[in-house]
């Protein structure tokens, strides 16, 4: 027969033999807080959460209606003013109570949000999370397991193990002993990948070789780890040039080498030629890491997975699920081809993984991350995977890719817009107003930038920006739409094109007026005598 549950702090009393205060006046504010029911866990936690959750949901709904678009109108100053009005002071002398505080802060952050659930919010690799994943976050937050020791996360540790095993097998299907770590995202994954490569290197400092298209976190990771600055090789049409890579590796012969390729660049969504890179890397006895933070989820789709051919040759792979995986931040993964590669992360701290505890059978979680305290981010992934399955996830990925292709065709057919030559990169569409091309010098790029800022200030659309090579080989500024919405239709996105052309008309007019004023001013300066110009 199982032992009777211990009483909650508010139930303990001197009379019943408990260690807490009697049922009368509490001995301290802390005791009063416990008796008042502040915590989210335990048998009574769900009932405490229920009315508070209703406040959050109501505030989210009302704020979205009040905002009326993908982000608030008015720009940074307007957002700051409205947010301060609701949330100041953050630390008052006397609290306003949980209901008022929750309503105000959630209303402020929701009214002032850039909401990726709006089809016009397409600037970044910023996905609208699935409802089932968000609901899982509530459970994880209420239970608050910390994934650094078994006695803080008994079942969560098992779920993380199941999740990482599934992801490792997805990335390295033929490897004998693949593994994966849960990270905070691509930046941490790339850092750990370089760390593990550094520890495997012998015969000198590790030299990192990467493309000009690589994410900035590769360079930052090398700096943080005390490695030489990465050697950057040229790209052609947004992808690593294999011949340039071969020359760079030849020039570094004799040093331990790590090649970092990208499967889904941030600006263009391009995938490096992974099979060729893998062959060149092997020929030079270099290690290979692939940053597939964006493109990795293509593996969920049988139709799209061939785009990542060659990925299986990488020793380590970055794979994010808070991009093309619809998870709340954070949901990063680092997959490794061989679990033995993770040995350098092993660490002994007696209060977390004492030798005798490990020998007695308590799992050691400390070596599963470079962090100590960390959230149970695998829980939301596990729920999503079980809910949708690989095929269901694959269909969502295919939807985003197909929608991007359809939007690209709509841009290409639009008489006043121009699609960047070279096709769509995963689900990223680069385009610009045709009117910008007719302007001299940098004026065209200035119009593109003005279009984006105008739509942001008006709260109408969140478009990104990217400098990328044009068909004539010149670099130009483009508007960027990164399509990650799992159920937005192409028809939902077409109004963006009208918003862009209308904003472009205004930007071109403003540019012409500015040029006219500049020309008039220059003429005045040339024709007017110096004494007249200097007179009051």
């Amino acid at each position: 027969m199982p032992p009777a549950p211990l009483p909650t702090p508010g139930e303990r009393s001197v009379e019943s033999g408990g260690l807490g205060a009697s049922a009368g006046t509490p001995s301290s504010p802390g005791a009063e807080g416990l008796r008042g029911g502040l915590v989210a866990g335990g048998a009574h936690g769900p009932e405490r959460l229920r009315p508070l959750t209703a406040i959050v949901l109501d505030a989210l709904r009302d704020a979205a209606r009040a905002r009326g678009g993908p982000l608030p109108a008015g720009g940074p100053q307007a957002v700051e003013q409205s947010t301060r009005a609701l949330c100041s002071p953050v630390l008052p002398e006397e609290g306003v109570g949980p209901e008022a505080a929750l309503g105000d802060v959630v209303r402020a952050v929701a009214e002032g949000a850039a909401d990726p659930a709006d089809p016009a919010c397409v600037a970044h690799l910023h996905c609208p999370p699935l409802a089932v994943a968000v609901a899982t976050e509530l459970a994880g937050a209420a239970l608050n397991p910390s994934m650094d020791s078994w006695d803080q996360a008994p079942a969560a540790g098992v779920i993380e193990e199941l999740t990482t095993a599934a992801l490792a097998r997805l990335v390295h299907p033929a490897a004998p002993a693949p593994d994966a770590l849960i990270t905070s995202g691509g930046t941490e994954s790339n850092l750990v990948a370089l760390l593990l490569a550094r520890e495997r290197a012998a015969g000198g400092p590790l030299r990192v070789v990467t493309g000009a298209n690589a994410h900035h976190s590769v360079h930052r990771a090398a700096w943080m780890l005390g490695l030489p600055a990465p050697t950057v090789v040229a790209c052609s049409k947004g992808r690593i040039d294999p011949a340039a890579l071969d020359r760079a590796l030849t020039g570094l012969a004799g040093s331990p080498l790590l090649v970092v390729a990208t499967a889904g660049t941030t600006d263009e969504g391009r995938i490096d030629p992974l099979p060729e890179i893998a062959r060149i890397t092997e020929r030079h006895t270099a290690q290979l890491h692939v940053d597939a933070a964006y493109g990795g989820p293509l593996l969920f789709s049988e139709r799209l997975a061939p785009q990542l051919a060659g990925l299986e040759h990488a020793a380590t792979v970055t794979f994010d699920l808070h991009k093309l995986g619809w998870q709340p931040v954070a949901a990063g993964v680092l997959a490794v081809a061989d679990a033995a590669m993770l040995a350098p992360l092993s660490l002994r701290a007696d209060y977390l993984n004492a030798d005798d505890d490990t020998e007695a059978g308590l799992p050691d979680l400390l070596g599963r991350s470079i962090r100590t305290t960390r959230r149970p981010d695998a829980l939301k992934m596990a729920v999503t995977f079980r809910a949708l399955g690989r095929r269901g996830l694959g269909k969502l990925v295919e939807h985003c890719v197909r929608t991007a292709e359809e939007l690209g065709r709509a841009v290409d057919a639009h008489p006043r817009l121009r699609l960047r030559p070279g096709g769509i990169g995963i689900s990223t569409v680069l385009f610009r107003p045709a009117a910008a091309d007719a302007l001299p010098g940098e004026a065209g790029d200035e119009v593109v930038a003005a279009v984006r800022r105008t739509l942001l200030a008006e709260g109408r659309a969140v478009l990104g920006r990217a400098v990328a090579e044009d068909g004539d080989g010149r670099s130009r500024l483009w508007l960027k739409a990164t399509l990650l919405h799992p159920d937005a239709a192409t028809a939902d996105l077409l109004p963006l094109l009208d918003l862009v052309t209308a904003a472009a008309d205004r930007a071109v007019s403003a540019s012409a007026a500015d040029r006219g004023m500049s020309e008039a001013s220059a003429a005045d300066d040339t024709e007017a005598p110096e004494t007249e110009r200097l007179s009051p």
Side-chain angles (χ1 to χ4, degrees):
M1 184 174 184
L6 293 173
T8 63
E11 294 170 339
R12 295 174 183 157
S13 66
V14 174
E15 290 82 357
S16 64
L19 298 177
S22 68
T25 303
S27 60
S28 69
E32 180 181 13
L34 289 169
R35 183 174 287 106
L38 291 181
V39 299
H44 301 292
E47 293 311 311
R48 296 168 190 144
L49 281 172
R50 199 176 303 278
L52 298 176
T53 302
I55 292 173
V56 170
L57 297 177
D58 288 346
L60 288 173
R61 178 199 60 207
D62 296 344
R65 291 172 178 170
R67 188 178 62 242
L71 79 168
Q77 290 184 341
V79 173
E80 180 177 357
Q81 183 178 359
S82 61
T83 303
R84 285 182 176 275
L86 284 168
C87 300
S88 294
V90 167
L91 185 61
E93 285 299 316
E94 298 293 337
V96 300
E99 292 82 4
L102 194 57
D104 287 345
V105 172
V106 175
R107 176 186 163 194
V109 75
E111 284 189 4
D115 186 357
D118 190 297
C121 188
V122 291
H124 302 286
L125 288 163
H126 179 199
C127 72
L130 299 177
V132 70
V134 173
T136 309
E137 287 275 75
L138 175 61
L143 295 168
N144 208 28
S146 180
M147 305 301 297
D148 51 311
S149 67
W150 182 88
D151 58 356
Q152 297 176 87
V158 177
I159 293 172
E160 180 176 275
E161 182 180 1
L162 292 169
T163 305
T164 53
L167 288 166
R169 186 59 64 193
L170 181 71
V171 176
H172 291 109
D179 202 349
L181 303 177
I182 302 298
T183 71
S184 59
T187 295
E188 183 185 339
S189 292
N190 288 339
L191 173 64
V192 176
L194 265 65
L195 169 63
L196 297 176
R198 185 193 70 179
E199 297 305 295
R200 295 195 302 276
L206 180 72
R207 300 302 303 267
V208 178
V209 181
T210 193
N213 60 354
H215 192 262
H216 61 80
S217 62
V218 175
H219 297 266
R220 179 175 286 187
W223 167 71
M224 291 177 69
L225 295 169
L227 299 173
T231 297
V232 177
V233 301
C235 290
S236 175
K237 298 180 180 179
R239 307 163 79 222
I240 284 181
D241 180 348
L245 175 63
D246 191 42
R247 289 192 298 270
L249 294 176
T250 299
L252 293 169
S255 297
L257 301 170
L258 173 70
V259 173
V260 178
T262 307
T265 57
T266 303
D267 280 347
E268 304 179 47
R270 299 301 183 197
I271 298 172
D272 284 333
L274 300 180
E276 292 176 82
I277 290 173
R279 286 193 292 271
I280 293 169
T281 300
E282 183 178 8
R283 188 164 65 246
H284 288 273
T285 64
Q287 304 176 59
L288 175 61
H289 169 65
V290 177
D291 179 359
Y294 178 12
L298 295 174
L299 292 174
F300 290 125
S301 164
E302 291 185 8
R303 181 173 67 83
L304 300 174
Q307 294 185 28
L308 297 181
L311 187 71
E312 68 277 6
H313 297 295
T316 52
V317 175
T318 291
F319 187 115
D320 272 6
L321 288 160
H322 54 231
K323 294 182 173 68
L324 200 56
W326 311 286
Q327 300 298 293
V329 174
V333 177
L334 177 68
V336 299
D338 186 351
M341 294 166 54
L342 301 176
L345 300 181
S346 296
L347 180 68
R348 189 66 61 187
D350 196 62
Y351 76 105
L352 294 173
N353 60 349
D355 286 333
D356 56 324
D357 278 349
T358 303
E359 292 170 2
L362 295 185
D364 180 0
L365 304 182
L366 190 56
R368 302 293 299 174
S369 177
I370 59 172
R371 294 172 286 160
T372 304
T373 301
R374 58 190 179 90
R375 302 175 71 252
D377 289 316
L379 302 186
K380 59 199 174 194
M381 303 179 198
V383 170
T384 302
F385 292 174
R386 280 184 58 78
L388 298 179
R390 180 174 178 176
R391 289 184 181 177
L393 287 164
K395 288 180 180 178
L396 296 186
V397 174
E398 290 170 5
H399 170 83
C400 292
V401 172
R402 182 171 58 252
T403 303
E405 292 169 347
E406 292 173 355
L407 181 64
R409 288 194 289 271
V411 170
D412 206 29
H414 199 291
R416 301 182 59 199
L417 297 172
R418 184 164 69 88
L419 184 68
R420 178 179 175 266
I424 305 303
I426 302 182
S427 65
T428 299
V429 183
L430 299 185
F431 65 103
R432 59 188 263 147
D437 294 337
L439 298 176
E442 297 179 355
D445 284 355
E446 292 170 359
V447 164
V448 175
V451 167
R452 175 178 177 271
R453 287 193 292 267
T454 295
L455 295 178
L456 287 174
E458 295 174 350
R460 292 174 176 270
V462 190
L463 284 163
R465 54 183 289 163
V467 175
E469 187 178 319
D470 204 344
D472 60 4
R474 292 180 55 187
S475 291
R476 288 187 169 86
L477 183 64
W478 305 83
L479 296 171
K480 178 176 68 170
T482 306
L483 305 185
L484 302 178
H485 202 301
D487 55 20
T490 306
D492 299 322
L493 299 163
L494 294 180
L496 269 174
L497 308 186
D498 294 331
L499 292 174
V500 167
T501 55
D505 288 342
R506 285 177 281 164
V508 169
S509 297
S511 177
D514 288 343
R515 290 199 310 277
M517 292 177 64
S518 297
E519 291 169 2
S521 176
D524 290 343
D525 288 348
T526 301
E527 296 171 4
E530 186 175 354
T531 53
E532 185 174 327
R533 283 191 289 111
L534 296 175
S535 62

